């Protein structure tokens, strides 16, 4: 059996103080280490001194209750509490009675005071950090995830499950991991994860994900490799941050900026053309007026008169063409409606039947993949009219014109393509001038050079885009994304 000196020495090494309590007399004695920690009670009753001076007020009631049960009913207890040390600071201790195998003849109880301050502080730090992590994750919609690349498992925290709109008990399957990403981003996702898993290259990308119910949303995904002790990659850890609202606003803003930039470009081009053409006609007219003033005979004046008529006709034609462009632009005030491509094409073919029959042109249309669209009918008919008549005007001299028109959907985008087997266009020479006003690329008496300008203006005004591919002597394809 250990004596008090030996017991005190052993417990002091572990920073453990103790009381010895006589269960019959209820008197207690403190170990030297306990006195060294909190100070000696002096002439005061140790228990009352302990309650009033040493024990934190929050724990006085509970401690007295447990202590009374120990001394009256020999009932063991364990309680975490705060004690004020000699330096005036409170520290955490766990108070529990030392177990004794001989309960029947027990006269003395030993209460241990185990210093758990560091463990308690670490626990509070962990809980505090977890609280801030959880609150930050909730506020910023940022969820954590882990991919076990060895055992092919995926783990999501609750915030990630909330972002993906999954139940808390949902467990994503490794084999179905791509189903949570938009199809157009599959290759990017596979590439990022593969480089991280094989070569330890971290990634930070923005991509579109799919919720459990296939709703698209944007996230910022960050991933880093996880290594074992042998510096082998065993997994990938990262976070998803829901940025759908910000990304949508960003894309809308960029789209608006692009539209404004395009409109400004068209406006500048239009103003330049107006200025150039009107100035040219007015200069010619001024020159004729001066010549008329200098003419000495009526014959000289009559000789200049046809020039005045030509200038007037050219000026009237230019103003009419510019007016046509302005009238096309005014259609924007009209509302979109559902238009069948077949109906729009039928109207265009009826209005150009004489041209089609004269040139023996063949028009093939495939609208099965996309039969209708929400659009301004006058715009769609104008687009078809310009591109079809251009294909016939610039047909290859050695073959009959064939025009193939098709619609389709790709990556949730709607497209219209018009292809021909005509003369083609040298894009290396004219590519940057394709859609400019008064630009022509082949000799044709009916060419005005405003058709493609109007078509591009109409497509872009409604938020779409138009592109062209062409091979000289083979043909041309115009691709319109709505």
């Amino acid at each position: 059996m250990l004596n008090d000196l030996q017991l005190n020495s052993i417990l002091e090494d572990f920073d453990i103080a103790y009381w010895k309590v006589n269960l019959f007399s209820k008197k207690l004695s403190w170990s030297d280490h306990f006195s060294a920690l909190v100070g000696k009670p002096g002439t005061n009753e140790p228990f009352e001194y302990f309650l009033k001076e040493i024990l934190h007020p929050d724990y006085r009631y509970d401690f007295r209750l447990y202590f009374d049960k120990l001394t009256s009913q020999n009932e063991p207890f364990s309680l975490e509490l705060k004690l004020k040390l000699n330096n005036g600071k409170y520290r955490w201790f766990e108070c529990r009675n030392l177990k004794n195998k001989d309960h029947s003849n027990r006269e003395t109880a030993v209460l241990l005071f185990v210093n758990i301050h560091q463990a308690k502080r670490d626990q509070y730090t962990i809980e505090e950090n977890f609280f801030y992590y959880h609150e930050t994750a909730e506020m910023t919609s940022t969820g954590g995830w882990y991919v076990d690349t060895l055992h092919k498992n995926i783990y999501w925290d609750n915030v990630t499950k909330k972002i993906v709109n999954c139940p808390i008990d949902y467990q994503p399957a490794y084999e179905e991991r791509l189903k949570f990403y938009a199809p157009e981003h599959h290759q990017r996702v596979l590439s990022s994860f593969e480089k991280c898993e094989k070569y330890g290259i971290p990634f930070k990308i923005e991509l579109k994900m799919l919720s459990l119910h296939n709703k698209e949303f944007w996230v910022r995904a960050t991933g880093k490799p996880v290594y074992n002790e042998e510096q082998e990659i065993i997994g990938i850890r990262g976070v998803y941050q829901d940025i759908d609202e910000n990304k949508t606003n960003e894309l809308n803003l960029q789209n608006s900026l692009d539209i404004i930039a395009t409109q400004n470009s068209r406006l500048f081009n239009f103003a330049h053309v107006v200025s150039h053409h009107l100035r040219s006609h007015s200069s010619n007219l001024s020159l004729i007026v001066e010549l008329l003033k200098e003419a000495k005979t009526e014959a000289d004046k009559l000789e200049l008169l046809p020039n005045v008529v030509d200038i007037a006709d050219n000026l009237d034609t230019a103003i009419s063409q510019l007016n046509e462009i302005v009238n096309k632009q005014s259609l924007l005030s009209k509302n979109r409606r559902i238009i069948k491509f077949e109906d729009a094409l039928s109207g265009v073919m009826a209005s150009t039947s004489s041209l089609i029959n004269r040139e023996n042109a063949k028009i093939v249309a495939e609208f099965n993949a996309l039969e209708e669209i929400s659009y301004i009918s006058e715009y769609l008919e104008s687009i078809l009219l310009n591109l079809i008549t251009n294909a016939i005007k610039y047909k290859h001299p050695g073959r009959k014109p064939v025009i193939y028109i098709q619609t389709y959907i790709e990556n949730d985008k709607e497209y219209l393509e018009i292809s021909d087997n005509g003369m083609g266009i040298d894009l290396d020479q004219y590519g940057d001038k394709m859609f400019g006003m008064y630009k022509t690329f082949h000799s044709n008496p009916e060419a005005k050079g405003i058709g493609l300008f109007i078509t591009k203006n109409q497509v872009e005004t409604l938020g779409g885009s138009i592109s062209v591919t062409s091979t000289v002597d083979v043909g041309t394809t115009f691709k319109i994304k709505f």
Side-chain angles (χ1 to χ4, degrees):
M1 179 68 69
L2 295 174
N3 58 35
D4 289 351
L5 183 61
Q6 291 173 319
L7 179 61
N8 190 72
S9 177
I10 293 173
L11 296 179
E12 187 175 347
D13 290 339
F14 294 95
D15 199 15
I16 300 174
Y18 69 91
W19 288 1
K20 292 182 70 175
V21 183
N22 189 304
L23 298 179
F24 297 132
S25 65
K26 297 186 180 181
K27 290 187 177 182
L28 59 90
S29 59
W30 296 357
S31 67
D32 293 339
H33 185 48
F34 192 84
S35 297
L37 289 174
V38 302
K40 294 184 178 181
T43 57
N44 297 327
E45 174 65 30
F47 186 77
E48 294 300 325
Y49 176 78
F50 172 79
L51 288 180
K52 294 179 181 179
E53 304 295 336
I54 307 301
L55 185 60
H56 191 281
D58 291 347
Y59 305 97
R60 289 172 184 170
Y61 177 82
D62 289 340
F63 183 81
R64 183 186 291 275
L65 182 65
Y66 284 122
F67 187 80
D68 287 344
K69 288 184 177 180
L70 173 68
T71 55
S72 62
Q73 304 174 24
N74 199 14
E75 183 174 324
F77 72 91
S78 177
L79 178 66
E80 293 181 356
L81 41 75
K82 287 183 179 180
L83 303 182
K84 185 166 68 175
L85 305 188
N86 276 327
N87 58 11
K89 296 180 179 180
Y90 283 97
R91 291 292 183 265
W92 280 98
F93 286 83
E94 180 187 3
C95 178
R96 64 174 182 265
N97 62 301
L98 187 64
K99 293 183 179 180
N100 191 330
K101 294 181 180 180
D102 186 9
H103 294 285
S104 58
N105 298 321
R106 190 174 178 189
E107 297 180 2
T108 303
V110 177
L111 285 182
L112 301 180
F113 291 85
V114 183
N115 190 335
I116 59 170
H117 187 74
Q118 185 60 46
K120 198 71 174 178
R121 188 169 64 176
D122 291 344
Q123 177 186 345
Y124 277 165
T125 301
I126 292 172
E127 290 176 353
E128 184 179 34
N129 289 342
F130 180 78
F131 169 79
Y132 286 125
Y133 159 76
H134 186 267
E135 290 299 309
T136 303
E138 287 283 353
M139 291 173 61
T140 60
S141 295
T142 304
W145 52 266
Y146 176 72
V147 177
D148 182 348
T149 56
L150 292 182
H151 303 97
K152 307 303 181 185
N153 290 318
I154 298 176
Y155 303 95
W156 289 348
D157 69 3
N158 290 344
V159 180
T160 294
K161 293 177 181 178
K162 182 178 179 181
I163 291 174
V164 187
N165 198 20
C166 294
I168 296 299
D169 59 352
Y170 182 81
Q171 178 59 44
Y174 185 87
E175 296 76 15
E176 299 179 351
R177 61 194 182 281
L178 283 180
K179 81 172 186 177
F180 291 100
Y181 300 95
E184 63 268 29
H185 288 174
H186 281 185
Q187 188 56 45
R188 192 179 183 198
V189 171
L190 288 173
S191 176
S192 298
F193 276 82
E194 183 178 359
K195 286 188 292 186
C196 189
E197 180 181 351
K198 289 185 176 180
Y199 309 110
I201 300 175
F203 60 85
K204 187 174 185 179
I205 55 177
E206 293 182 357
L207 46 84
K208 272 196 293 186
M209 290 189 69
L210 300 175
S211 71
L212 190 61
H213 306 293
N214 292 320
K215 179 183 177 182
E216 287 189 348
F217 61 97
W218 282 92
V219 300
R220 181 178 292 112
T222 302
K224 294 181 179 180
V226 177
Y227 297 90
N228 61 12
E229 294 180 355
E230 287 74 32
Q231 292 302 301
E232 297 170 336
I233 297 175
I234 59 173
I236 303 173
R237 179 180 289 114
V239 296
Y240 291 131
Q241 182 180 9
D242 186 344
I243 60 170
D244 189 62
E245 182 176 355
N246 293 337
K247 189 67 176 181
T248 301
N249 291 338
E250 176 189 330
L251 293 175
N252 290 338
L253 177 60
Q254 186 59 50
N255 185 54
S256 298
L257 292 175
D258 291 342
I259 292 174
I260 291 173
T262 302
Q263 290 175 340
N264 286 341
S265 177
R266 289 199 301 267
L267 182 61
F268 179 81
N269 187 29
F270 182 79
H272 174 76
V273 170
V274 170
S275 174
H276 174 76
H277 280 70
L278 295 185
R279 186 170 63 249
S280 175
H281 295 305
S282 65
S283 297
N284 291 335
L285 186 59
S286 297
L287 177 61
I288 295 299
V289 170
E290 291 297 324
L291 291 175
L292 285 172
K293 289 180 180 179
E294 295 174 1
K296 296 180 179 180
T297 65
E298 289 298 324
D300 291 339
K301 292 181 179 180
L302 289 174
E303 187 178 345
L304 293 172
L305 190 58
N307 293 326
V308 175
V309 175
D310 289 341
I311 293 172
D313 288 342
N314 291 335
L315 182 59
D316 181 67
T317 300
I319 292 175
S320 297
Q321 291 173 350
L322 295 174
N323 187 57
E324 180 184 355
I325 294 173
V326 172
N327 288 337
K328 296 288 186 182
Q329 184 70 19
S330 68
L331 288 173
L332 268 180
S333 60
K334 304 189 72 171
N335 294 326
R336 299 188 186 205
R337 62 182 181 85
I338 299 299
I339 310 165
K340 289 187 176 295
F341 284 99
E342 187 175 350
D343 293 343
L345 179 60
S346 296
V348 171
M349 291 181 65
S351 65
T352 58
S353 59
S354 59
L355 176 64
I356 294 173
N357 293 331
R358 186 185 73 196
E359 301 297 340
N360 198 19
K362 181 179 181 180
I363 298 178
V364 180
E366 291 280 350
F367 299 136
N368 295 331
L370 178 64
E371 296 182 351
E372 57 188 22
I373 190 173
S374 176
Y375 219 63
I376 296 176
S377 60
E378 290 87 349
Y379 270 28
L380 184 58
E381 291 177 3
S382 174
I383 292 167
L384 290 170
L385 177 65
N386 280 326
L387 296 182
I388 289 174
T389 54
N390 273 358
I392 297 176
K393 287 177 187 177
Y394 304 117
K395 67 175 184 174
H396 193 281
R399 51 182 174 259
K400 296 178 180 179
V402 176
I403 304 166
Y404 181 76
I405 306 172
Q406 66 170 332
T407 56
Y408 58 92
I409 299 175
E410 186 176 276
N411 294 330
D412 296 330
K413 301 296 183 181
E414 299 170 326
Y415 291 90
L416 166 68
E417 277 190 3
I418 300 179
S419 305
D420 64 57
N421 64 341
M423 299 170 65
I425 303 169
D426 187 348
L427 294 181
D428 292 335
Q429 182 177 358
Y430 301 114
D432 58 339
K433 303 174 183 178
M434 276 295 301
F435 300 99
M437 190 181 294
Y438 296 118
K439 301 297 182 181
T440 57
F441 313 106
H442 299 292
S443 177
N444 190 296
E446 299 180 12
K448 298 179 182 179
I450 64 171
L452 290 181
F453 174 82
I454 292 175
T455 297
K456 185 174 189 291
N457 185 67
Q458 292 168 331
V459 171
E460 292 183 347
T461 299
L462 292 184
S465 62
I466 182 171
S467 59
V468 59
T469 57
S470 187
T471 303
V472 176
D473 292 331
V474 176
T476 302
T477 296
F478 287 93
K479 181 178 181 179
I480 297 170
K481 181 176 73 173
F482 293 105

